[in-house]
Amino acid sequence: MKSTGNIIWFALAFIFFIQNAEAQKGARMPRKVKIEGGIFFGASNYAGTLEEKIINYNYTLPGYGAMIRYNFTNKFSLRFGLDYGTIEDADSAASSIGRNQRNLSFKTSITDGYLAGEYYFATWSDRYKKFSQLYILGGIGSFHFNPKALYNGKWYSLQPLGTEGQGTQEYPDRVPYALDQVFIPIGLGARFTLGPSWFLNFECRANKTFTGYLDDVNLTYAANDVLLAQGGALAVALANRTAEKYPDKVTNVTGYPRGSKKPSDDWFYFTGFTLTHTFKPKRHCYSF
């Protein structure tokens, strides 16, 4: 996706900037405490059929999470994380006439859990010997989503309606998409020392899914009679919403692209800050 490529270029520029701002690289970093835990607060966003800009501030929503990290060495760590956020978008906000006429929209919460390895590839310190590091991460996880659309003042779950003919005999290759799926998290971050046991991480994490239905839009328009038999009048109404804004544009669109001309998998993003604290094991002294 165009936005994914832009994020990668931004990440590379970020690395270049930080590495050229390094100071006192010769200082030796103390060994990290093994166990570290923290909370995340930031923003969630998505890249898919309905997104038009790399960052759409109107549809950038809060994201929250928690993580625990095990530091094997100063360069290698393993973490387990949980996150919650909301993603949404709407054709009504698009500048493209074609997208505006399509008039589709969605909103879904995202709950994920993942395991990821971290590699710290750059380390520097300031004059107070407070160390900072850059890292990349990659792993595997699972997430839950459930896209909904607002219609006549009420939110409706889209997956059970089969808005593209999923689960019908007429479209045997279109099976209902699962609401629990696997994803691949990849990311870039920076870890800054605040104190002896407190650290602030800034991170951009892109999550590659294996579905094009985060927004319930992926393939072509299904025939209205098929949708009516499968999901009722509501499925017909939410599959093609052009008439709500452009009644004169209503035509038989069966077989025409509802999603992208080249369907692809969607992505979701979490960007923000994680405040972490290290936990040193207590040493017990025994007397005999």
Side-chain angles (χ1 to χ4, degrees):
M1 297 234 117
K2 176 179 68 176
S3 61
T4 304
N6 289 337
I7 286 178
I8 293 173
W9 282 113
F10 172 78
L12 293 175
F14 176 71
I15 293 172
F16 178 81
F17 173 79
I18 292 293
Q19 286 187 316
N20 281 274
E22 291 181 5
Q24 297 188 27
K25 284 189 65 175
R28 186 176 180 84
M29 182 178 178
R31 186 175 180 85
K32 289 181 180 177
V33 176
K34 294 292 186 183
I35 301 176
E36 191 174 339
I39 54 174
F40 164 81
F41 179 78
S44 54
N45 220 313
Y46 115 111
T49 306
L50 271 63
E51 59 94 17
E52 189 176 46
K53 303 176 182 178
I54 181 172
I55 298 177
N56 189 334
Y57 294 104
N58 292 329
Y59 296 110
T60 298
L61 300 170
Y64 316 90
M67 56 87 80
I68 187 167
R69 172 187 284 144
Y70 186 86
N71 298 309
F72 291 98
T73 67
N74 283 0
K75 285 186 173 290
F76 295 98
S77 300
L78 185 69
R79 77 150 94 154
F80 173 72
L82 296 169
D83 292 297
Y84 176 84
T86 302
I87 57 174
E88 68 173 310
D89 216 325
D91 284 334
S92 59
S95 59
S96 163
I97 296 177
R99 290 190 178 199
N100 204 267
Q101 290 178 348
R102 183 176 59 181
N103 196 36
L104 295 175
S105 62
F106 86 103
K107 182 177 183 177
T108 179
S109 60
I110 295 279
T111 304
D112 74 26
Y114 65 93
L115 188 68
E118 300 173 339
Y119 172 65
Y120 293 80
F121 60 89
T123 302
W124 72 97
S125 66
D126 60 19
R127 59 180 178 172
Y128 302 106
K129 300 293 181 68
K130 288 187 175 181
F131 286 84
S132 301
Q133 292 182 290
L134 288 178
Y135 63 89
I136 54 175
L137 69 90
I140 190 169
S142 65
F143 72 100
H144 176 80
F145 71 112
N146 184 23
K148 298 180 180 181
L150 183 64
Y151 181 65
N152 289 337
K154 185 177 179 180
W155 289 94
Y156 292 93
S157 295
L158 296 169
Q159 189 259 14
L161 299 176
T163 54
E164 293 186 353
Q166 297 98 325
T168 63
Q169 293 181 350
E170 289 80 2
Y171 299 94
D173 57 328
R174 303 185 184 184
V175 298
Y177 53 88
L179 298 180
D180 296 286
Q181 300 208 22
V182 172
F183 75 98
I184 303 295
I186 55 175
L188 171 72
R191 181 178 186 265
F192 304 98
T193 302
L194 299 180
S197 59
W198 290 96
F199 302 87
L200 184 66
N201 301 256
F202 177 75
E203 181 178 292
C204 300
R205 175 161 61 87
N207 304 284
K208 191 248 183 284
T209 74
F210 298 92
T211 179
Y213 285 104
L214 286 185
D215 46 25
D216 191 64
V217 184
N218 193 38
L219 300 175
T220 60
Y221 287 97
N224 282 347
D225 58 336
V226 175
L227 295 176
L228 185 63
Q230 175 77 1
L234 184 62
V236 176
L238 294 181
N240 183 357
R241 307 190 66 175
T242 299
E244 295 176 30
K245 290 185 68 175
Y246 303 93
D248 59 321
K249 296 289 184 180
V250 177
T251 58
N252 183 6
V253 294
T254 302
Y256 283 85
R258 184 172 183 261
S260 305
K261 291 183 178 179
K262 294 182 178 180
S264 58
D265 295 332
D266 297 335
W267 295 64
F268 65 93
Y269 304 97
F270 283 109
T271 302
F273 295 92
T274 303
L275 181 66
T276 64
H277 183 265
T278 54
F279 300 92
K280 291 185 178 180
K282 293 182 179 180
R283 295 184 179 181
H284 300 279
C285 296
Y286 300 94
S287 57
F288 297 93

